[in-house]
Amino acid sequence: MRYILAVLLLLAAVGVVHAQTTPYRVVFDLTSKDSLDQKAVIRWIKEITSANPGAKLEIVMYGKGYELVMPEKSAFLTDVKEDMKNENVTFAVCQVAMKNNHIDKSQLLPGVRTVPDGIYEIISKQHDQWGYIKVAH
């Protein structure tokens, strides 16, 4: 009985250590220009980076989500600029969505990345063991 208890405690300890050493990496899928969705992702960025300063976050925008990083359309421009100061936070806009909506890179906030295909970017992150969150309120 003691042996079984010792093995169970050892396995539990290994699980805790593993949970604490797993990298915190999340890709957010933002397709909406809805201000509530944009507000949600900005809030999540702040909450995660406050609790886990080493967390790596990428916000992938396609559909109409790219408006979050357009100075002329974003309701959260100050927040985005602040978040962009964190080297672990990346904003990436889908070039397909830009083409379909006649958006030029010059219309995006400087420092925003573009990716050839937003969906493929998300799939690639998931393949690399990143967590996935669909932004919705």
Side-chain angles (χ1 to χ4, degrees):
M1 184 66 156
R2 270 188 168 166
Y3 178 74
I4 292 172
L5 182 59
V7 169
L8 289 175
L9 287 173
L10 180 62
L11 289 174
V14 168
V16 168
V17 169
H18 175 71
Q20 292 175 347
T21 60
T22 301
Y24 197 135
R25 301 179 302 198
V26 179
V27 60
F28 292 94
D29 176 348
L30 178 63
T31 59
S32 172
K33 67 180 183 176
D34 185 300
S35 64
L36 292 176
D37 290 342
Q38 294 179 357
K39 183 178 182 179
V41 77
I42 292 297
R43 184 183 74 243
W44 295 336
I45 292 168
K46 290 189 184 338
E47 291 170 353
I48 292 168
T49 57
S50 292
N52 301 283
K56 294 188 184 303
L57 310 176
E58 181 168 343
I59 300 77
V60 178
M61 297 157 279
Y62 59 103
K64 296 284 185 178
Y66 57 80
E67 290 190 9
L68 176 64
V69 293
M70 292 183 74
E72 295 178 10
K73 296 189 178 198
S74 179
F76 302 98
L77 199 59
T78 302
D79 296 299
V80 171
K81 286 180 179 179
E82 187 63 30
D83 291 336
M84 288 178 71
K85 291 178 185 176
N86 183 334
E87 65 184 18
N88 291 331
V89 177
T90 304
F91 291 87
V93 176
C94 172
Q95 292 172 4
V96 174
M98 291 171 62
K99 180 180 177 185
N100 290 341
N101 291 281
H102 310 289
I103 302 297
D104 186 77
K105 185 166 171 64
S106 65
Q107 294 174 271
L108 304 176
L109 191 63
V112 171
R113 283 185 49 227
T114 61
V115 294
D117 180 337
I119 294 171
Y120 185 75
E121 178 72 9
I122 291 168
I123 292 168
S124 296
K125 292 292 185 193
Q126 289 177 300
H127 184 266
D128 292 337
Q129 304 301 307
W130 284 55
Y132 168 84
I133 301 293
K134 171 65 179 162
V135 179
H137 64 277

